[in-house]
């Protein structure tokens, strides 16, 4: 789209559990995974630079930065195929350089990445247990080497290069620690793992030979050149108790209990390791990083410091906020800063410079800028007066962000989940919808104060009007309009049948638009509180709507994958989404730009008027569905929030330039609310600090005077000492000068003697060296002559050897070509033999059954496949022989190796001949199988003859069956009698139940009366006790005042005044009125209690009638079940009669079989198989099964009768229990 473009200028969020998820690009620039890409963040200037991922990216899984800080490698999940891409970071906007892919590798996502020290190679490891380690020459997009790495199970896997060697790679995981060396296109393992396998979670290179590894059991292992050198186990760490917390005993006991529970259910595990110049840092427990440094012996590492995550003061549970799992640790290039990421989407930093100055055992991290959302963002809104936006999340927090300064201004966490948030146009108040209530919150200078609460549960949408004098809140399918001044419920907009998903005010606050889950979009007139227009599409579940500035056009998105333009109660245009669900929509104030958020986390910018073509620009942003979207009132910024917990600030560039105001025109308010109590506290704190400053000034002045006096005395003493020392030094200097002059004279004499000796020795050495040089020159000339002769001889020998090599190669080529021809002839002969054998087999197969045909066809296919495989193996042999011929010319050693390979190939050819012989044996075995099957057919005919004999024996069991049938009839009669007795018992139990019900009702009434009497008496006793105490205090006061008056008995006037004061103080006319009012109150309470008891009686009577009806229906249901049981017994009797008839039929058939015995003996086997006597092979077993089934049915009837009896008892007891309760 040529008309508009958006550019991300700020991102508030972090993606958790990314391998290598945080790293430094410069001293103040940090790169971390966020949304569907990565974010470059400057810690001091606070500028953001977002690097988007590939198309349809669902987020980064692993990242790595090259040692020269120029390149970035990302492993992403984009659609169905994983993507491995390399970006260049030198430009202002990162550019994608290469995308790495290989057809021979399985499409599996890389979980760990690493660059080589020279940034030429890129190592990638896929997830275990069937993982691969691949090494890429990424600039050429060439797969350099790959090796399969098998693991004991699932778990994290990490890969890294040796910091000094480009060819050495280390990989760790569940059950393996391996070092590989890259050479000539292969990765060869360098170490052999010894001892029991460990689950290595992470590792780091400490030097060229040392690797430190951490396990899931809290063990640190140091490997030197692949061998275990040092090992230690770390304990599960508890958080340190702060000074403020130790003052209360309740907290100490609670913290101790919590720590004991954590220690029981948690074990130490090294989740992250990172190396620096002095040693390494690791995290053995949630919320802590330990710093290890080398000892003076430089063989063992010792713990030097603990660094803990800080407690989140905005959280409702600050103790748990510091117990997050640390997933990644990194150091700045100068090692003055350490940054960590956690599993709760948070980033922390720690200044390593402080460890040099303050040597404390424990220190604490600080937030890298500010705390971030750790769960899906459910609400987003902005205001007009200030450049701020408000967000709420499922992490139960509400945050206020400033999108101009890229800072977090306010944050507070609550006990309940927040579903929606709306900012007042002034930016001084906000509405937050929680799971229990809707709260009106004042945004103070450093806090959020709940000013008013409304009883709206699970409010999913709320919104202030553009003027700020009204606000709307969704309560299910009803929209409630409140006044933001008086907080009165002005109107309720009813008409939606489904849950309302989105609401929107018009610019003049006279119209209101809403949409719901049943496909309805309504436009309301707030002056009348009625619907003005509606557009219903039941097949669509709407999720978001937006209005133009003139409120004439509505844009809506929903589950049907379209963007709808609605005006005049009808859909004017529908723009398809192309296999994506639109989740949110926003329109600019000018109405020319439309922005849509998708379920994949992308943002689409469109131009109005809409077209049916694919006319939009798509931007990769979030790793989850976009939940909220808004455009600022000046059309300069687009704000988006998502399920991944990230907030994006986009700069809107309208290329036509007609709708966006200039930044010079914007002026924002700077007013802030503050509580009067906070002002009083701060002023009191200022006064206290001023007093402290004065006291400290006086103390410092006094201490300075004392120090001046002490220093003056010391200076005088030092001056005296220095003068004495100067005098002594002057005398020493004079003595040393005299000694120096004497020694100089001696040295001059010695130097002259030494110079003479040296001249003599130099002359002697020159003469000797000239003679030796002449001798050496003669030897050198002789050696040169010899070397020339040797060179000529070696050249001749080399020439002869080369000729012999070429001859040998030619001979070998001819020899192997002849052999290949011989083998091909043999293979053709074998094929001809196989064809002849197949023809013979086809003739044999015609005489065999269909089952044999199928098996032989399968064998034929197998043989043909094997022949094809043999052809392919021969072709491979030819290729390998050609490669061997090429390599023979290079080295003699490779000739010997290839000769061995040729011998192995000969053995393989011999094996193939053996296979052909074995196949011939299989054909003979098939013939023997055919003979065996003919024998089995004869055996089956014998078995059929035996079955005839068994058929005769069945006649003997006929009389036994008739006797058992009579016994079953007797048993059925006895069961009928038992059923009648059970019915009588049921009727008796019902009568007893009615008696128990009446008794329970009477007991309940008595209990309630006694309880009421007891409460009334206790209340009266309490009231009398209070009156007694009040009277005693009055009497004491009166006595004391009387005593004071008696002391003034000599002065009549004062006595008179004192008595008057006593009268006015203790005598009141209102006492009588109070007594009368108390009597009236008692009468009124007695009437209220009487009315309450009458209501309870009416309710109890209604319950009694309901219980009677319930029991009557239960009794009728039991009677119906008894009738159905009787019917089932009658059915069983009919089945018995049918069984008797079947036995009679069997007897008649047996007689017929006797008459036709001679005919059946002479009949063929096919007739025998089709006869009914043969179909029922064992009638004796069938009769026994029939008897067993009847026994089981009788037992089932008994169980049902017992269950019905129990159910008759249970409802009565259950209802009795309910009434007693």
């Amino acid at each position: 789209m040529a008309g508009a473009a958006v550019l991300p200028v700020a991102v508030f969020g972090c993606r958790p559990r990314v391998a290598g998820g945080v790293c430094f690009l410069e001293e103040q620039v940090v790169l971390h995974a966020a949304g569907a890409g990565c974010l470059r963040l400057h810690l001091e200037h606070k500028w953001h630079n977002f690097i988007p991922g590939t198309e349809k990216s669902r987020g980064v899984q692993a990242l790595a930065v090259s040692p020269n800080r120029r390149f970035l490698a990302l492993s992403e999940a984009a659609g169905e195929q994983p993507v491995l891409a390399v970006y260049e970071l030198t430009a202002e906007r990162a550019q994608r350089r290469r995308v790495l892919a290989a057809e021979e590798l399985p499409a599996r996502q890389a979980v760990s990445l690493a660059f080589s020290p020279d940034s030429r190679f890129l190592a990638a490891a896929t997830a275990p247990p069937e993982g691969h380690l691949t090494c890429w020459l990424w600039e050429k997009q060439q797969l350099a080497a790959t090796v399969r790495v098998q693991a004991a199970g699932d778990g994290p896997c990490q890969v890294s290069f040796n910091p000094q060697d480009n060819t050495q790679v280390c990989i760790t995981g569940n059950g393996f620690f391996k070092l590989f060396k890259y050479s000539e296109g292969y990765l060869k393992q360098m170490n052999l793992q010894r001892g029991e396998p460990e689950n290595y979670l992470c590792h780091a290179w400490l030097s060229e030979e040392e690797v430190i590894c951490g396990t899931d059991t809290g063990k640190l292992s140091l490997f030197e050149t692949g061998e275990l050198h040092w090992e230690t186990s770390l304990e599960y760490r508890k958080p340190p108790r702060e000074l403020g917390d130790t003052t209360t005993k309740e907290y100490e006991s609670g913290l101790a209990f919590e720590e004991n529970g954590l220690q029981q259910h948690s074990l130490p595990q090294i989740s992250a390791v990172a190396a620096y110049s002095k040693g390494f840092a690791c995290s053995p427990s949630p919320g802590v990083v330990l710093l290890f440094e080398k000892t003076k012996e430089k063989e063992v590492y010792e713990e030097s410091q603990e660094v803990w995550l800080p407690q989140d003061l905005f959280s409702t549970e600050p103790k748990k906020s510091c117990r997050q799992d640390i997933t990644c640790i990194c150091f700045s290039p100068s090692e003055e800063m350490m940054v960590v990421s956690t599993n709760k989407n948070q980033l922390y930093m720690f200044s390593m410079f402080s460890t040099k100055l303050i040597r404390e055992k424990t220190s604490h991290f600080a937030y890298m800028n500010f705390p971030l959302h750790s769960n899906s963002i459910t609400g987003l809104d902005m205001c007009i007066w200030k450049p701020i936006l408000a967000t709420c999340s499922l992490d139960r927090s509400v945050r206020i962000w400033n999108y101009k300064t890229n800072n977090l201004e306010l944050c507070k966490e609550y006990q309940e989940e927040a579903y929606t948030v709306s900012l007042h146009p002034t930016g001084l108040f906000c509405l937050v919808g929680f799971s229990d209530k809707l709260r009106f919150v004042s945004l103070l200078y450093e806090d959020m104060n709940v000013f008013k609460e409304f009883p709206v549960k699970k409010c999913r949408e709320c919104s202030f009007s553009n003027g700020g004098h009204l606000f709307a809140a969704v309560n299910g399918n009803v929209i409630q309009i409140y006044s933001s001044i008086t907080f009165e419920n002005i109107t309720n907009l009813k008409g939606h049948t489904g849950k309302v998903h989105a609401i929107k005010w018009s610019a003049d606050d006279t119209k209101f638009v809403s949409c719901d889950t049943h496909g309805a979009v309504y436009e309301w007139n707030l002056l009348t509180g009625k619907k003005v227009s509606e557009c219903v599409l039941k097949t669509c579940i709407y999720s978001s709507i937006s209005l133009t500035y003139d409120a004439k056009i509505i844009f809506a998105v929903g589950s049907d994958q379209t963007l709808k333009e609605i005006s005049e109660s009808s859909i004017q245009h529908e723009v398809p989404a192309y296999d994506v669900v639109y989740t949110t929509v926003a329109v600019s104030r000018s109405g020319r730009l439309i922005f849509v958020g998708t379920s994949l986390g992308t943002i689409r910018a469109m131009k109005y008027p809409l077209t049916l073509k694919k006319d939009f620009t798509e931007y990769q942003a979030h790793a989850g569905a976009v939940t909220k979207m808004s455009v600022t009132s000046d059309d300069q910024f687009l704000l988006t929030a998502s399920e991944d917990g990230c907030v994006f600030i986009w700069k809107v560039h309208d290329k036509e330039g007609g709708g966006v105001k200039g930044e010079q025109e914007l002026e924002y308010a700077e007013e802030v609310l503050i509580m009067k109590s906070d002002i009083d506290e701060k002023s009191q704190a200022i006064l206290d600090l001023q007093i402290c400053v004065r006291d400290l000034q006086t103390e410092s002045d006094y201490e300075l005077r004392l120090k001046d006096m002490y220093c003056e005395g010391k200076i005088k003493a030092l001056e005296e000492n220095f003068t004495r020392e100067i005098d002594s030094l002057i005398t020493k200097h004079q003595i040393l000068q005299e000694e120096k002059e004497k020694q100089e004279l001696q040295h001059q004499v010695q130097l002259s003697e030494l110079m003479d000796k040296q001249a003599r020795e130099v002359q002697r050495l020159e003469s000797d060296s000239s003679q030796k040089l002449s001798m050496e020159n003669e030897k050198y000339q002789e050696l040169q002559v010899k070397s020339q002769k040797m060179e000529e001889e070696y050249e001749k020998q080399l020439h002869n050897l080369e000729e012999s090599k070429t001859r040998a190669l030619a001979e070998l080529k001819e020899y192997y070509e002849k052999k290949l021809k011989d083998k091909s002839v043999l293979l053709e002969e074998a094929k001809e033999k196989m064809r002849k054998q197949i023809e013979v087999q086809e003739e044999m197969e015609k005489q065999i059954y269909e089952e044999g045909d199928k098996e032989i066809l399968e064998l034929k296919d197998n043989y043909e496949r094997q022949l094809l495989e043999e052809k392919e193996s021969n072709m491979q042999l030819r290729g390998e022989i050609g490669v061997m011929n090429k390599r023979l010319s290079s080295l003699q050693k490779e000739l010997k190796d290839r000769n061995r390979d040729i011998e192995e190939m000969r053995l393989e050819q011999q094996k193939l001949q053996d296979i052909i012989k074995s196949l011939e044996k299989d054909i003979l075995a098939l013939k023997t199988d055919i003979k065996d099957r003919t024998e089995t057919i004869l055996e089956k005919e014998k078995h059929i003859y035996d079955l005839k004999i068994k058929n005769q024996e069945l006649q003997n069991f006929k009389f036994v069956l008739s006797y058992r049938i009579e016994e079953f009839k007797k048993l059925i009669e006895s069961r009928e009698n038992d059923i009648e007795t059970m019915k009588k018992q049921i009727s008796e139990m019902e009568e007893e139940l009615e008696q128990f019900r009446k008794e329970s009702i009477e007991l309940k009434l008595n209990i309630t009366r006694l309880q009421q009497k007891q409460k009334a008496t206790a209340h009266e006793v309490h009231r009398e006790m209070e009156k007694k105490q009040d009277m005693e205090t009055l009497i004491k006061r009166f006595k004391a005042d009387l005593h004071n008056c008696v002391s003034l008995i000599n002065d009549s006037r004062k006595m008179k005044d004192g008595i008057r004061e006593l009268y006015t103080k203790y005598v009141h006319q209102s006492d009588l009125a109070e007594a009368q009012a108390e009597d009236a109150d008692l009468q009124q309470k007695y009437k209220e209690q009487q009315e309450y008891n009458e209501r309870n009686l009416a309710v109890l009577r209604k319950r009694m009638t309901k219980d009677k009806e319930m029991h009557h229906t239960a009794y009728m249901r039991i009677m119906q079940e008894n009738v159905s049981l009787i019917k089932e017994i009658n059915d069983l009797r009919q089945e018995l009669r049918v069984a008797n008839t079947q036995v009679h039929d069997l007897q008649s058939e047996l007689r017929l079989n006797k008459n036709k015995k001679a005919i059946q003996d002479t009949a063929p086997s096919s007739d025998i198989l089709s006869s009914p006597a043969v179909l029922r092979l064992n009638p004796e077993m069938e009769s026994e099964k029939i008897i067993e089934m009847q026994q089981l049915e009788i037992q089932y009837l008994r169980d049902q009768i017992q269950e019905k009896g129990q159910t008759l008892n249970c409802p009565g007891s259950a209802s009795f229990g309910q009434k007693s309760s």
Side-chain angles (χ1 to χ4, degrees), residues 197-430:
E198 297 277 354
N199 185 4
Y200 296 106
L201 302 179
C202 53
H203 73 267
W205 288 86
L206 301 181
S207 65
E208 189 177 356
E209 296 179 348
E210 292 181 343
V211 181
I212 189 77
C213 297
T215 68
D216 62 345
T217 58
K219 192 183 291 183
L220 281 172
S221 303
L222 180 65
F223 293 91
E224 188 170 351
T225 63
E227 297 292 331
L228 185 63
H229 179 65
W230 173 72
E231 196 173 37
T232 185
S233 294
L234 302 180
E235 296 179 353
Y236 188 84
R237 301 300 175 105
K238 300 177 184 178
R241 297 184 183 181
E242 297 183 1
L243 294 172
D245 296 332
T246 54
T247 55
T248 57
K249 292 182 181 178
E250 293 178 358
Y251 168 71
E252 288 179 354
S253 61
L255 185 62
F257 178 76
E258 185 181 352
E259 288 174 354
N260 290 330
L262 284 170
Q263 194 169 10
Q264 288 176 1
H265 298 289
S266 301
L267 293 172
Q269 61 176 10
I270 314 297
S271 60
V273 171
Y276 67 109
S277 58
K278 292 185 179 179
F280 64 91
C282 68
S283 175
S285 305
V288 65
V289 172
L290 304 182
L291 298 177
F292 283 80
E293 293 183 0
K294 262 192 179 181
T295 58
K296 293 180 180 179
E297 299 172 358
K298 292 188 177 181
E299 292 181 356
V300 183
Y301 288 88
E302 286 185 353
E303 181 187 339
S304 61
Q305 195 171 10
E306 288 183 5
V307 189
W308 285 88
L309 295 182
Q311 293 183 3
D312 189 0
L313 301 177
F314 305 113
S315 175
T316 55
E317 296 176 345
K319 308 298 181 297
K320 289 185 179 179
S321 64
C322 65
R323 303 297 288 171
Q324 303 176 39
D325 291 335
I326 293 170
T327 57
C328 185
I329 305 171
C330 70
F331 291 92
S332 64
S334 64
E335 295 184 353
E336 291 184 359
M337 192 84 67
M338 176 172 61
V339 173
V340 300
S341 65
T342 69
N343 62 335
K344 294 290 183 69
N345 305 20
Q346 303 299 324
L347 294 169
Y348 297 91
M349 57 188 286
F350 176 70
S351 177
M352 299 290 287
F353 186 68
S354 61
T355 59
K356 299 175 184 177
L357 298 175
I358 305 168
R359 285 289 179 180
E360 292 183 355
K361 184 66 178 173
T362 58
S363 300
H364 287 84
F365 284 95
Y367 279 106
M368 198 181 82
N369 292 335
F370 37 74
L372 304 168
H373 279 299
S374 61
N375 209 330
S376 174
I377 296 172
T378 55
L380 180 144
D381 198 17
M382 53 84 191
C383 69
I384 300 170
W385 282 25
K386 296 181 180 182
I388 60 172
L389 67 137
T391 58
C392 63
S393 171
L394 294 179
D395 60 6
R396 301 179 301 173
S397 69
V398 179
R399 298 169 197 261
I400 307 297
W401 311 85
N402 192 317
Y403 56 82
K404 283 286 187 182
T405 60
N406 294 340
N407 200 3
L408 178 69
E409 293 197 348
L410 283 177
C411 175
K412 190 163 185 180
E413 189 172 328
Y414 294 88
Q415 294 289 342
E416 297 84 15
E417 290 182 351
Y419 296 129
T420 181
V421 67
S422 179
L423 267 177
H424 195 268
T426 60
L428 301 176
F429 310 99
C430 74

Side-chain angles (χ1 to χ4, degrees), residues 779-795:
K779 288 180 181 178
Y780 177 69
Q781 289 174 358
E782 291 176 358
L783 288 169
Q784 273 186 343
V785 173
K786 288 181 180 179
S787 64
Q788 288 176 358
K789 291 179 181 177
M790 291 289 285
E791 282 178 1
E792 291 174 356
E793 290 176 358
Y794 282 124
E795 283 176 357

